[in-house]
Amino acid sequence: MKKIPQVITQYEIMLVFLEGKTAFAEGRRRGYCPYADIDHDDLAGSWWSGWDKANVENQSEGNNAAPPNKNDEP
């Protein structure tokens, strides 16, 4: 479980958002959220928002297409 800072600032919430985006890029599942078990909804929500945002950005870039078959000619 993550250590909860004494004071949750906008800066801390932004860092957690970026952690969520990074977790998506690393291939972690949405349920991995390390803030889900602590009693502070802002941090968990920020992490999930970051993960969701990265997921939407990934889909809008067209990265959800199947990779080309290795038997296909260039």
Side-chain angles (χ1 to χ4, degrees):
M1 181 166 73
K2 292 282 233 179
K3 183 178 180 189
I4 305 170
Q6 290 285 350
V7 177
I8 309 274
T9 63
Q10 265 315 106
Y11 179 73
E12 184 69 26
I13 290 172
M14 181 192 66
L15 289 177
V16 171
F17 176 85
L18 293 174
E19 280 183 39
K21 287 186 80 169
T22 302
F24 178 86
E26 292 173 347
R28 297 196 185 265
R29 294 178 181 252
R30 192 175 189 276
Y32 164 79
C33 180
Y35 300 95
D37 293 337
I38 62 175
D39 191 25
H40 204 290
D41 294 339
D42 287 345
L43 293 179
S46 182
W47 192 95
W48 280 318
S49 292
W51 194 98
D52 291 341
K53 176 76 172 171
N55 184 27
V56 168
E57 289 172 353
N58 183 55
Q59 290 176 2
S60 69
E61 292 173 2
N63 292 339
N64 58 348
N69 188 334
K70 67 180 182 178
N71 296 329
D72 290 343
E73 294 183 4

